[in-house]
Amino acid sequence: SQQGEEDPQALSIQEGENATMNCSYKTSINNLQWYRQNSGRGLVHLILIRSNEREKHSGRLRVTLDTSKKSSSLLITASRAADTASYFCATDAQGNNNDMRFGAGTRLTVKP
Amino acid sequence: DAGVTQSPTHLIKTRGQQVTLRCSPKSGHDTVSWYQQALGQGPQFIFQYYEEEERQRGNFPDRFSGHQFPNYSSELNVNALLLGDSALYLCASRLRGHYEQYFGPGTRLTVT
């Protein structure tokens, strides 16, 4: 079963704009990860945030985590056409890192 | 440094048949997980192998089985194929004790 749920399901923006995607989950976690997937290919790891962290940055990516609300957000600043992809959040179900649970993803389209 | 590789890339099978998918982990990784991703959905955890044993299993029937070899490569076997088994099968590897997973490009299985 899915652990995370991304919102929105689809997002369309112009190049240069910022894109924000949200993820909600149900159980306690050790960490939350964000992945990108291009056109049904393999997933690429973007960033990991631990449960004791509130914010993390990596290049144009900014991730926040609110464990009290069981939610996370991924912000992509100054988006590019190459950022067009599906974005997934993944959590370790019940604090067990053997079992990563993914949401259904947000489909981001960046128009040139 | 080779990443995660999977074979074959595409596969077409008939209902009732059996299939074997293969995965070679990223160099230095000892833990392999398998995921099933239906069209438009996020990856669903099937199982994870470490030290040649299945360590954790998702909500999949016994028709799904696997194996890990001494060189850490892995196979996913699916018996008595159903139409609903049509999906992208993803292999991911990581180093035990680390959270970040590296995904292969996937095997697209079509059951007719």
Side-chain angles (χ1 to χ4, degrees):
Chain A
S1 62
Q2 301 281 356
Q3 157 78 318
E5 292 186 6
E6 288 89 347
D7 170 57
Q9 292 185 339
L11 180 61
S12 182
I13 60 175
Q14 294 294 134
E15 212 167 24
E17 294 180 338
N18 295 340
T20 300
M21 289 158 270
N22 302 296
C23 168
S24 60
Y25 56 93
K26 299 174 182 176
T27 63
S28 62
I29 60 172
N30 287 329
N31 64 79
L32 184 144
Q33 303 180 50
W34 285 90
Y35 288 83
R36 183 186 72 220
Q37 185 178 39
N38 291 85
S39 301
R41 298 179 61 82
L43 280 75
V44 175
H45 182 269
L46 295 176
I47 197 165
L48 178 152
I49 186 165
R50 300 182 188 277
S51 60
N52 62 353
E53 297 176 311
R54 292 295 167 262
E55 186 172 314
K56 203 163 184 179
H57 297 257
S58 177
R60 294 184 297 113
L61 306 179
R62 172 179 172 257
V63 168
T64 63
L65 179 65
D66 187 334
T67 54
S68 67
K69 296 181 179 179
K70 291 186 169 58
S71 67
S72 173
S73 67
L74 170 66
L75 168 67
I76 303 174
T77 60
S79 64
R80 306 165 182 168
D83 295 328
T84 294
S86 291
Y87 291 82
F88 297 90
C89 68
T91 58
D92 53 337
Q94 300 174 2
N96 178 359
N97 193 52
N98 289 339
D99 181 357
M100 295 296 292
R101 303 288 181 90
F102 286 80
T106 292
R107 175 67 189 173
L108 173 65
T109 301
V110 181
K111 301 176 183 177
Chain B
D1 178 20
V4 180
T5 60
Q6 292 186 244
S7 62
T9 305
H10 296 88
L11 202 52
I12 299 175
K13 290 286 189 178
T14 305
R15 275 180 300 176
Q17 287 188 319
Q18 179 265 343
V19 68
T20 297
L21 310 181
R22 295 176 176 81
C23 169
S24 291
K26 181 178 171 62
S27 179
H29 288 185
D30 56 7
T31 301
V32 173
S33 299
W34 286 92
Y35 294 83
Q36 179 195 67
Q37 186 179 23
L39 198 62
Q41 299 297 314
Q44 297 280 326
F45 175 77
I46 303 175
F47 42 52
Q48 183 183 84
Y49 277 84
Y50 171 66
E51 290 185 337
E52 302 179 47
E53 289 190 14
E54 183 182 298
R55 299 294 175 172
Q56 192 77 19
R57 190 179 184 91
N59 189 26
F60 279 81
D62 292 344
R63 296 187 298 109
F64 289 77
S65 63
H67 189 77
Q68 185 180 35
F69 300 92
N71 66 353
Y72 307 121
S73 65
S74 177
E75 288 182 349
L76 164 64
N77 300 293
V78 187
N79 295 323
L81 285 167
L82 304 174
L83 295 178
D85 294 332
S86 295
L88 180 67
Y89 287 85
L90 295 164
C91 169
S93 73
R94 64 184 177 91
L95 182 61
R96 191 73 177 170
H98 291 72
Y99 295 117
E100 181 180 334
Q101 294 189 97
Y102 289 78
F103 282 80
T107 293
R108 175 71 63 184
L109 173 65
T110 302
V111 182
T112 62

Short mmCIF file of all heavy atoms in Angstrom, two decimals, chain A residues 8-71:
data_model
loop_
_atom_site.label_atom_id
_atom_site.label_comp_id
_atom_site.label_asym_id
_atom_site.label_seq_id
_atom_site.Cartn_x
_atom_site.Cartn_y
_atom_site.Cartn_z
N PRO A 8 0.29 18.53 -5.85
CA PRO A 8 -0.80 18.04 -6.69
C PRO A 8 -0.39 16.81 -7.50
O PRO A 8 0.76 16.44 -7.51
CB PRO A 8 -1.07 19.22 -7.62
CG PRO A 8 0.29 19.84 -7.79
CD PRO A 8 0.95 19.71 -6.45
N GLN A 9 -1.34 16.20 -8.17
CA GLN A 9 -1.04 15.07 -9.03
C GLN A 9 -0.29 15.52 -10.27
O GLN A 9 0.55 14.79 -10.80
CB GLN A 9 -2.32 14.34 -9.44
CG GLN A 9 -3.00 13.63 -8.29
CD GLN A 9 -4.20 12.82 -8.76
OE1 GLN A 9 -4.74 13.09 -9.83
NE2 GLN A 9 -4.62 11.86 -7.97
N ALA A 10 -0.61 16.73 -10.74
CA ALA A 10 0.06 17.27 -11.92
C ALA A 10 0.24 18.77 -11.74
O ALA A 10 -0.60 19.44 -11.11
CB ALA A 10 -0.76 16.98 -13.18
N LEU A 11 1.34 19.28 -12.27
CA LEU A 11 1.67 20.69 -12.14
C LEU A 11 2.33 21.15 -13.43
O LEU A 11 3.27 20.50 -13.91
CB LEU A 11 2.63 20.86 -10.96
CG LEU A 11 3.12 22.26 -10.61
CD1 LEU A 11 1.95 23.17 -10.25
CD2 LEU A 11 4.12 22.20 -9.47
N SER A 12 1.84 22.26 -13.97
CA SER A 12 2.40 22.79 -15.21
C SER A 12 2.80 24.24 -14.98
O SER A 12 1.98 25.06 -14.54
CB SER A 12 1.37 22.70 -16.34
OG SER A 12 1.91 23.18 -17.56
N ILE A 13 4.08 24.56 -15.25
CA ILE A 13 4.58 25.91 -15.02
C ILE A 13 5.45 26.35 -16.18
O ILE A 13 5.83 25.54 -17.04
CB ILE A 13 5.40 25.99 -13.71
CG1 ILE A 13 6.60 25.04 -13.78
CG2 ILE A 13 4.53 25.70 -12.50
CD1 ILE A 13 7.53 25.13 -12.59
N GLN A 14 5.81 27.63 -16.20
CA GLN A 14 6.71 28.16 -17.21
C GLN A 14 8.15 28.09 -16.70
O GLN A 14 8.40 28.15 -15.48
CB GLN A 14 6.36 29.62 -17.53
CG GLN A 14 5.01 29.83 -18.20
CD GLN A 14 4.96 29.22 -19.59
OE1 GLN A 14 4.01 28.54 -19.96
NE2 GLN A 14 5.99 29.47 -20.37
N GLU A 15 9.06 27.95 -17.63
CA GLU A 15 10.48 27.95 -17.29
C GLU A 15 10.81 29.21 -16.49
O GLU A 15 10.33 30.30 -16.80
CB GLU A 15 11.31 27.91 -18.58
CG GLU A 15 12.61 27.17 -18.46
CD GLU A 15 13.25 26.87 -19.79
OE1 GLU A 15 12.97 27.57 -20.77
OE2 GLU A 15 14.03 25.90 -19.85
N GLY A 16 11.61 29.04 -15.45
CA GLY A 16 11.99 30.17 -14.61
C GLY A 16 11.14 30.31 -13.36
O GLY A 16 11.57 30.91 -12.37
N GLU A 17 9.94 29.72 -13.39
CA GLU A 17 9.07 29.78 -12.21
C GLU A 17 9.52 28.73 -11.19
O GLU A 17 10.28 27.82 -11.49
CB GLU A 17 7.61 29.55 -12.60
CG GLU A 17 7.03 30.64 -13.47
CD GLU A 17 5.58 30.37 -13.83
OE1 GLU A 17 5.15 29.21 -13.78
OE2 GLU A 17 4.87 31.34 -14.17
N ASN A 18 9.00 28.86 -9.98
CA ASN A 18 9.26 27.87 -8.94
C ASN A 18 8.14 26.82 -8.93
O ASN A 18 6.98 27.14 -9.23
CB ASN A 18 9.32 28.54 -7.56
CG ASN A 18 10.49 29.50 -7.45
OD1 ASN A 18 11.46 29.41 -8.21
ND2 ASN A 18 10.40 30.41 -6.50
N ALA A 19 8.52 25.61 -8.57
CA ALA A 19 7.54 24.51 -8.48
C ALA A 19 7.56 23.96 -7.06
O ALA A 19 8.63 23.65 -6.53
CB ALA A 19 7.89 23.41 -9.47
N THR A 20 6.39 23.83 -6.48
CA THR A 20 6.28 23.26 -5.13
C THR A 20 5.39 22.03 -5.16
O THR A 20 4.27 22.08 -5.67
CB THR A 20 5.68 24.29 -4.15
OG1 THR A 20 6.55 25.43 -4.09
CG2 THR A 20 5.57 23.69 -2.75
N MET A 21 5.90 20.96 -4.60
CA MET A 21 5.16 19.70 -4.50
C MET A 21 5.10 19.29 -3.03
O MET A 21 6.06 19.51 -2.29
CB MET A 21 5.85 18.60 -5.31
CG MET A 21 5.72 18.81 -6.79
SD MET A 21 6.98 17.93 -7.72
CE MET A 21 8.26 19.17 -7.79
N ASN A 22 4.00 18.72 -2.65
CA ASN A 22 3.80 18.34 -1.27
C ASN A 22 3.62 16.83 -1.13
O ASN A 22 3.17 16.15 -2.05
CB ASN A 22 2.57 19.05 -0.69
CG ASN A 22 2.68 20.54 -0.80
OD1 ASN A 22 3.56 21.15 -0.19
ND2 ASN A 22 1.81 21.15 -1.60
N CYS A 23 3.97 16.34 0.03
CA CYS A 23 3.86 14.92 0.32
C CYS A 23 3.33 14.75 1.74
O CYS A 23 3.80 15.41 2.66
CB CYS A 23 5.23 14.26 0.18
SG CYS A 23 5.35 12.58 0.83
N SER A 24 2.34 13.89 1.89
CA SER A 24 1.85 13.56 3.23
C SER A 24 2.01 12.07 3.45
O SER A 24 1.95 11.27 2.49
CB SER A 24 0.37 13.96 3.38
OG SER A 24 -0.42 13.27 2.43
N TYR A 25 2.27 11.69 4.68
CA TYR A 25 2.46 10.28 4.99
C TYR A 25 1.71 9.95 6.27
O TYR A 25 1.19 10.83 6.95
CB TYR A 25 3.95 9.95 5.11
CG TYR A 25 4.70 10.77 6.12
CD1 TYR A 25 4.86 10.33 7.43
CD2 TYR A 25 5.28 11.99 5.76
CE1 TYR A 25 5.56 11.08 8.36
CE2 TYR A 25 5.97 12.76 6.68
CZ TYR A 25 6.11 12.31 7.99
OH TYR A 25 6.80 13.05 8.90
N LYS A 26 1.68 8.65 6.61
CA LYS A 26 0.77 8.23 7.67
C LYS A 26 1.44 7.77 8.95
O LYS A 26 0.92 7.97 10.04
CB LYS A 26 -0.14 7.10 7.14
CG LYS A 26 -1.00 7.52 5.96
CD LYS A 26 -1.76 6.34 5.37
CE LYS A 26 -2.58 6.80 4.16
NZ LYS A 26 -3.25 5.64 3.50
N THR A 27 2.59 7.10 8.84
CA THR A 27 3.20 6.54 10.03
C THR A 27 4.49 7.28 10.38
O THR A 27 4.99 8.08 9.60
CB THR A 27 3.52 5.05 9.82
OG1 THR A 27 4.49 4.93 8.77
CG2 THR A 27 2.28 4.27 9.43
N SER A 28 5.03 6.99 11.54
CA SER A 28 6.28 7.62 11.94
C SER A 28 7.41 7.14 11.02
O SER A 28 7.36 6.03 10.49
CB SER A 28 6.61 7.28 13.39
OG SER A 28 6.77 5.88 13.53
N ILE A 29 8.39 7.98 10.82
CA ILE A 29 9.46 7.68 9.86
C ILE A 29 10.82 7.98 10.47
O ILE A 29 10.94 8.72 11.45
CB ILE A 29 9.30 8.50 8.56
CG1 ILE A 29 9.36 10.00 8.87
CG2 ILE A 29 8.01 8.13 7.83
CD1 ILE A 29 9.41 10.87 7.63
N ASN A 30 11.86 7.38 9.87
CA ASN A 30 13.24 7.74 10.17
C ASN A 30 13.73 8.82 9.22
O ASN A 30 14.51 9.69 9.60
CB ASN A 30 14.15 6.52 10.06
CG ASN A 30 13.96 5.55 11.20
OD1 ASN A 30 13.62 5.95 12.33
ND2 ASN A 30 14.13 4.27 10.92
N ASN A 31 13.28 8.72 7.99
CA ASN A 31 13.70 9.71 6.99
C ASN A 31 12.69 9.73 5.85
O ASN A 31 11.86 8.83 5.70
CB ASN A 31 15.09 9.38 6.46
CG ASN A 31 15.12 8.06 5.71
OD1 ASN A 31 14.73 7.98 4.56
ND2 ASN A 31 15.59 7.00 6.36
N LEU A 32 12.79 10.76 5.05
CA LEU A 32 11.93 10.91 3.87
C LEU A 32 12.84 11.29 2.70
O LEU A 32 13.77 12.09 2.86
CB LEU A 32 10.88 11.99 4.11
CG LEU A 32 9.84 12.20 3.00
CD1 LEU A 32 8.49 12.55 3.60
CD2 LEU A 32 10.28 13.27 2.03
N GLN A 33 12.59 10.66 1.58
CA GLN A 33 13.42 10.91 0.41
C GLN A 33 12.55 11.38 -0.75
O GLN A 33 11.38 11.00 -0.85
CB GLN A 33 14.16 9.63 0.01
CG GLN A 33 15.03 9.06 1.12
CD GLN A 33 15.74 7.80 0.71
OE1 GLN A 33 16.38 7.74 -0.33
NE2 GLN A 33 15.66 6.77 1.56
N TRP A 34 13.15 12.16 -1.61
CA TRP A 34 12.50 12.58 -2.86
C TRP A 34 13.29 12.02 -4.04
O TRP A 34 14.52 12.04 -4.04
CB TRP A 34 12.43 14.10 -2.97
CG TRP A 34 11.38 14.72 -2.08
CD1 TRP A 34 11.52 15.15 -0.79
CD2 TRP A 34 10.01 14.96 -2.44
NE1 TRP A 34 10.33 15.66 -0.33
CE2 TRP A 34 9.39 15.56 -1.32
CE3 TRP A 34 9.25 14.77 -3.60
CZ2 TRP A 34 8.04 15.94 -1.31
CZ3 TRP A 34 7.92 15.15 -3.60
CH2 TRP A 34 7.33 15.73 -2.46
N TYR A 35 12.52 11.50 -5.02
CA TYR A 35 13.09 10.93 -6.22
C TYR A 35 12.45 11.56 -7.45
O TYR A 35 11.30 12.02 -7.40
CB TYR A 35 12.85 9.41 -6.28
CG TYR A 35 13.65 8.59 -5.31
CD1 TYR A 35 13.23 8.44 -3.98
CD2 TYR A 35 14.81 7.94 -5.71
CE1 TYR A 35 13.97 7.68 -3.09
CE2 TYR A 35 15.55 7.17 -4.83
CZ TYR A 35 15.12 7.04 -3.53
OH TYR A 35 15.85 6.28 -2.63
N ARG A 36 13.19 11.53 -8.55
CA ARG A 36 12.67 12.01 -9.84
C ARG A 36 12.69 10.84 -10.83
O ARG A 36 13.60 10.00 -10.81
CB ARG A 36 13.55 13.14 -10.39
CG ARG A 36 13.04 13.73 -11.71
CD ARG A 36 14.03 14.74 -12.28
NE ARG A 36 15.20 14.08 -12.80
CZ ARG A 36 16.44 14.54 -12.65
NH1 ARG A 36 16.66 15.65 -11.97
NH2 ARG A 36 17.45 13.89 -13.18
N GLN A 37 11.68 10.82 -11.70
CA GLN A 37 11.60 9.77 -12.71
C GLN A 37 11.23 10.41 -14.04
O GLN A 37 10.21 11.08 -14.14
CB GLN A 37 10.57 8.70 -12.35
CG GLN A 37 10.53 7.54 -13.33
CD GLN A 37 9.54 6.47 -12.92
OE1 GLN A 37 8.45 6.77 -12.44
NE2 GLN A 37 9.90 5.20 -13.08
N ASN A 38 12.05 10.15 -15.03
CA ASN A 38 11.80 10.65 -16.38
C ASN A 38 11.16 9.55 -17.22
O ASN A 38 11.73 8.47 -17.37
CB ASN A 38 13.10 11.09 -17.05
CG ASN A 38 13.67 12.34 -16.41
OD1 ASN A 38 14.38 12.26 -15.42
ND2 ASN A 38 13.32 13.48 -16.96
N SER A 39 9.97 9.84 -17.74
CA SER A 39 9.31 9.01 -18.74
C SER A 39 9.38 7.51 -18.47
O SER A 39 9.80 6.74 -19.33
CB SER A 39 9.91 9.29 -20.13
OG SER A 39 9.76 10.63 -20.46
N GLY A 40 8.97 7.09 -17.26
CA GLY A 40 8.89 5.68 -16.96
C GLY A 40 10.22 4.96 -16.89
O GLY A 40 10.27 3.74 -17.03
N ARG A 41 11.28 5.70 -16.70
CA ARG A 41 12.59 5.08 -16.53
C ARG A 41 12.89 4.92 -15.05
O ARG A 41 12.01 5.06 -14.21
CB ARG A 41 13.64 5.94 -17.23
CG ARG A 41 13.41 6.06 -18.74
CD ARG A 41 14.46 6.94 -19.38
NE ARG A 41 15.82 6.41 -19.20
CZ ARG A 41 16.35 5.46 -19.94
NH1 ARG A 41 15.64 4.93 -20.94
NH2 ARG A 41 17.57 5.05 -19.74
N GLY A 42 14.14 4.59 -14.72
CA GLY A 42 14.51 4.41 -13.32
C GLY A 42 14.43 5.71 -12.54
O GLY A 42 14.48 6.80 -13.09
N LEU A 43 14.31 5.58 -11.24
CA LEU A 43 14.22 6.75 -10.36
C LEU A 43 15.61 7.25 -10.00
O LEU A 43 16.54 6.46 -9.82
CB LEU A 43 13.47 6.38 -9.08
CG LEU A 43 11.95 6.35 -9.19
CD1 LEU A 43 11.47 5.12 -9.94
CD2 LEU A 43 11.32 6.40 -7.81
N VAL A 44 15.72 8.55 -9.87
CA VAL A 44 16.97 9.19 -9.48
C VAL A 44 16.78 9.83 -8.12
O VAL A 44 15.83 10.62 -7.92
CB VAL A 44 17.40 10.25 -10.51
CG1 VAL A 44 18.64 11.00 -10.02
CG2 VAL A 44 17.66 9.61 -11.86
N HIS A 45 17.66 9.51 -7.20
CA HIS A 45 17.56 10.06 -5.85
C HIS A 45 17.92 11.54 -5.87
O HIS A 45 18.95 11.93 -6.44
CB HIS A 45 18.51 9.31 -4.91
CG HIS A 45 18.47 9.76 -3.51
ND1 HIS A 45 19.28 10.75 -3.01
CD2 HIS A 45 17.70 9.37 -2.48
CE1 HIS A 45 19.00 10.94 -1.73
NE2 HIS A 45 18.04 10.12 -1.38
N LEU A 46 17.08 12.36 -5.25
CA LEU A 46 17.32 13.80 -5.23
C LEU A 46 17.86 14.26 -3.88
O LEU A 46 18.89 14.95 -3.82
CB LEU A 46 16.03 14.57 -5.54
CG LEU A 46 15.43 14.38 -6.93
CD1 LEU A 46 14.12 15.13 -7.05
CD2 LEU A 46 16.42 14.82 -8.00
N ILE A 47 17.17 13.90 -2.82
CA ILE A 47 17.52 14.44 -1.52
C ILE A 47 16.90 13.59 -0.42
O ILE A 47 15.81 13.03 -0.60
CB ILE A 47 17.10 15.92 -1.41
CG1 ILE A 47 17.79 16.63 -0.27
CG2 ILE A 47 15.60 16.06 -1.35
CD1 ILE A 47 17.67 18.15 -0.35
N LEU A 48 17.57 13.49 0.69
CA LEU A 48 17.08 12.78 1.86
C LEU A 48 17.04 13.74 3.04
O LEU A 48 18.00 14.50 3.24
CB LEU A 48 17.99 11.59 2.19
CG LEU A 48 17.67 10.73 3.42
CD1 LEU A 48 18.19 9.30 3.20
CD2 LEU A 48 18.27 11.29 4.70
N ILE A 49 15.96 13.71 3.77
CA ILE A 49 15.86 14.53 4.98
C ILE A 49 15.50 13.60 6.14
O ILE A 49 14.60 12.76 6.04
CB ILE A 49 14.83 15.68 4.80
CG1 ILE A 49 14.86 16.60 6.02
CG2 ILE A 49 13.42 15.16 4.49
CD1 ILE A 49 14.16 17.93 5.77
N ARG A 50 16.22 13.72 7.21
CA ARG A 50 16.00 12.85 8.36
C ARG A 50 14.88 13.42 9.23
O ARG A 50 14.57 14.61 9.18
CB ARG A 50 17.29 12.71 9.16
CG ARG A 50 18.43 12.11 8.35
CD ARG A 50 19.69 11.94 9.17
NE ARG A 50 20.81 11.53 8.32
CZ ARG A 50 21.06 10.28 7.95
NH1 ARG A 50 20.26 9.32 8.34
NH2 ARG A 50 22.08 10.01 7.17
N SER A 51 14.33 12.58 10.07
CA SER A 51 13.17 12.99 10.86
C SER A 51 13.49 14.10 11.85
O SER A 51 12.60 14.83 12.29
CB SER A 51 12.59 11.78 11.60
OG SER A 51 13.56 11.22 12.47
N ASN A 52 14.77 14.27 12.20
CA ASN A 52 15.14 15.33 13.14
C ASN A 52 15.58 16.61 12.43
O ASN A 52 16.05 17.55 13.06
CB ASN A 52 16.24 14.85 14.09
CG ASN A 52 17.51 14.48 13.37
OD1 ASN A 52 17.56 14.44 12.14
ND2 ASN A 52 18.56 14.19 14.12
N GLU A 53 15.44 16.63 11.10
CA GLU A 53 15.75 17.83 10.32
C GLU A 53 14.46 18.51 9.88
O GLU A 53 13.44 17.84 9.65
CB GLU A 53 16.61 17.45 9.11
CG GLU A 53 17.96 16.86 9.47
CD GLU A 53 18.75 16.42 8.25
OE1 GLU A 53 18.18 15.70 7.40
OE2 GLU A 53 19.94 16.79 8.17
N ARG A 54 14.52 19.80 9.71
CA ARG A 54 13.31 20.53 9.30
C ARG A 54 13.43 21.06 7.87
O ARG A 54 12.43 21.29 7.21
CB ARG A 54 13.05 21.68 10.26
CG ARG A 54 12.64 21.21 11.64
CD ARG A 54 11.30 20.48 11.58
NE ARG A 54 11.02 19.75 12.81
CZ ARG A 54 11.23 18.44 12.96
NH1 ARG A 54 11.71 17.72 11.97
NH2 ARG A 54 10.95 17.86 14.10
N GLU A 55 14.66 21.29 7.43
CA GLU A 55 14.86 21.86 6.09
C GLU A 55 16.21 21.42 5.56
O GLU A 55 17.18 21.26 6.33
CB GLU A 55 14.79 23.39 6.17
CG GLU A 55 14.82 24.10 4.84
CD GLU A 55 14.55 25.58 4.96
OE1 GLU A 55 13.59 25.95 5.67
OE2 GLU A 55 15.31 26.37 4.37
N LYS A 56 16.24 21.21 4.24
CA LYS A 56 17.50 20.82 3.62
C LYS A 56 17.55 21.38 2.21
O LYS A 56 16.52 21.48 1.53
CB LYS A 56 17.61 19.30 3.59
CG LYS A 56 19.02 18.79 3.48
CD LYS A 56 19.09 17.33 3.87
CE LYS A 56 20.53 16.84 3.85
NZ LYS A 56 20.62 15.42 4.26
N HIS A 57 18.76 21.75 1.79
CA HIS A 57 18.93 22.34 0.46
C HIS A 57 19.94 21.51 -0.34
O HIS A 57 20.88 20.94 0.21
CB HIS A 57 19.46 23.77 0.58
CG HIS A 57 18.54 24.71 1.28
ND1 HIS A 57 17.76 25.63 0.62
CD2 HIS A 57 18.24 24.85 2.60
CE1 HIS A 57 17.05 26.33 1.49
NE2 HIS A 57 17.32 25.88 2.70
N SER A 58 19.70 21.48 -1.65
CA SER A 58 20.65 20.86 -2.55
C SER A 58 20.50 21.56 -3.90
O SER A 58 19.55 21.30 -4.63
CB SER A 58 20.40 19.37 -2.69
OG SER A 58 21.29 18.80 -3.64
N GLY A 59 21.43 22.45 -4.22
CA GLY A 59 21.33 23.21 -5.46
C GLY A 59 20.04 24.00 -5.53
O GLY A 59 19.75 24.81 -4.65
N ARG A 60 19.22 23.75 -6.55
CA ARG A 60 17.94 24.46 -6.70
C ARG A 60 16.80 23.79 -5.94
O ARG A 60 15.65 24.19 -6.06
CB ARG A 60 17.60 24.54 -8.20
CG ARG A 60 18.55 25.41 -9.01
CD ARG A 60 18.10 25.53 -10.47
NE ARG A 60 18.10 24.25 -11.17
CZ ARG A 60 17.02 23.62 -11.59
NH1 ARG A 60 15.82 24.15 -11.42
NH2 ARG A 60 17.12 22.45 -12.23
N LEU A 61 17.12 22.76 -5.18
CA LEU A 61 16.10 22.03 -4.43
C LEU A 61 16.07 22.45 -2.96
O LEU A 61 17.12 22.63 -2.35
CB LEU A 61 16.34 20.52 -4.51
CG LEU A 61 16.49 19.90 -5.88
CD1 LEU A 61 16.74 18.41 -5.74
CD2 LEU A 61 15.27 20.16 -6.73
N ARG A 62 14.87 22.58 -2.46
CA ARG A 62 14.70 22.86 -1.03
C ARG A 62 13.61 21.94 -0.53
O ARG A 62 12.50 21.91 -1.06
CB ARG A 62 14.32 24.31 -0.78
CG ARG A 62 13.95 24.64 0.66
CD ARG A 62 13.60 26.10 0.82
NE ARG A 62 13.06 26.41 2.13
CZ ARG A 62 11.76 26.62 2.37
NH1 ARG A 62 10.89 26.56 1.39
NH2 ARG A 62 11.35 26.89 3.60
N VAL A 63 13.92 21.18 0.51
CA VAL A 63 12.96 20.25 1.09
C VAL A 63 12.69 20.64 2.54
O VAL A 63 13.61 20.99 3.27
CB VAL A 63 13.49 18.80 1.04
CG1 VAL A 63 12.64 17.88 1.89
CG2 VAL A 63 13.53 18.31 -0.40
N THR A 64 11.43 20.61 2.91
CA THR A 64 11.06 20.82 4.31
C THR A 64 10.34 19.60 4.82
O THR A 64 9.77 18.82 4.05
CB THR A 64 10.15 22.06 4.46
OG1 THR A 64 8.93 21.83 3.73
CG2 THR A 64 10.83 23.31 3.95
N LEU A 65 10.40 19.42 6.13
CA LEU A 65 9.74 18.28 6.77
C LEU A 65 9.07 18.76 8.04
O LEU A 65 9.70 19.41 8.87
CB LEU A 65 10.75 17.17 7.09
CG LEU A 65 10.21 15.94 7.79
CD1 LEU A 65 9.22 15.20 6.89
CD2 LEU A 65 11.35 15.01 8.18
N ASP A 66 7.81 18.43 8.18
CA ASP A 66 7.05 18.74 9.39
C ASP A 66 6.50 17.43 9.94
O ASP A 66 5.48 16.93 9.48
CB ASP A 66 5.91 19.72 9.07
CG ASP A 66 5.19 20.21 10.31
OD1 ASP A 66 5.19 19.50 11.34
OD2 ASP A 66 4.61 21.31 10.25
N THR A 67 7.21 16.86 10.89
CA THR A 67 6.80 15.55 11.42
C THR A 67 5.51 15.63 12.23
O THR A 67 4.80 14.64 12.33
CB THR A 67 7.91 14.94 12.28
OG1 THR A 67 8.29 15.88 13.28
CG2 THR A 67 9.12 14.57 11.43
N SER A 68 5.20 16.80 12.78
CA SER A 68 3.95 16.93 13.54
C SER A 68 2.75 16.85 12.61
O SER A 68 1.69 16.37 12.99
CB SER A 68 3.93 18.25 14.30
OG SER A 68 3.88 19.36 13.42
N LYS A 69 2.92 17.32 11.38
CA LYS A 69 1.85 17.25 10.38
C LYS A 69 2.02 16.07 9.44
O LYS A 69 1.20 15.86 8.55
CB LYS A 69 1.79 18.55 9.58
CG LYS A 69 1.43 19.78 10.40
CD LYS A 69 1.37 21.02 9.52
CE LYS A 69 0.98 22.24 10.34
NZ LYS A 69 0.94 23.48 9.52
N LYS A 70 3.11 15.33 9.61
CA LYS A 70 3.42 14.22 8.72
C LYS A 70 3.37 14.67 7.27
O LYS A 70 2.64 14.10 6.43
CB LYS A 70 2.48 13.04 8.96
CG LYS A 70 2.68 12.35 10.29
CD LYS A 70 1.83 11.09 10.42
CE LYS A 70 2.23 10.26 11.63
NZ LYS A 70 2.14 11.01 12.89
N SER A 71 4.16 15.70 6.98
CA SER A 71 4.16 16.24 5.61
C SER A 71 5.53 16.78 5.26
O SER A 71 6.33 17.15 6.12
CB SER A 71 3.10 17.33 5.47
OG SER A 71 3.44 18.46 6.24
#
